[in-house]
């Protein structure tokens, strides 16, 4: 990459991805065994009922 391209390229920040502390996966892709994910599902089920 030339110096001019580096200077004048649009500055686009990288998109951040939230990662689960327990299973290490992105929040949208929790593992089934993750207790945080199971707790969230239980709480959503209680809201629906």
């Amino acid at each position: 990459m030339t110096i001019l391209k580096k200077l004048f390229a649009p500055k686009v920040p990288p998109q951040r991805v939230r990662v689960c502390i327990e299973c290490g996966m992105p929040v949208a892709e929790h593992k089934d065994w993750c207790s945080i994910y199971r707790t969230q599902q239980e709480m959503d089920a209680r809201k629906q009922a």
Side-chain angles (χ1 to χ4, degrees), residues 20-31:
C20 176
I21 296 169
E22 186 174 340
C23 64
M25 295 294 291
V27 173
E29 302 170 11
H30 273 287
K31 296 290 184 182

Side-chain angles (χ1 to χ4, degrees), residues 5-30:
K5 285 186 180 178
K6 285 183 181 179
L7 289 174
F8 296 112
K11 305 284 193 254
V12 178
Q15 187 174 0
R16 294 184 178 198
V17 177
R18 293 178 55 206
V19 177
C20 176
I21 296 169
E22 186 174 340
C23 64
M25 295 294 291
V27 173
E29 302 170 11
H30 273 287

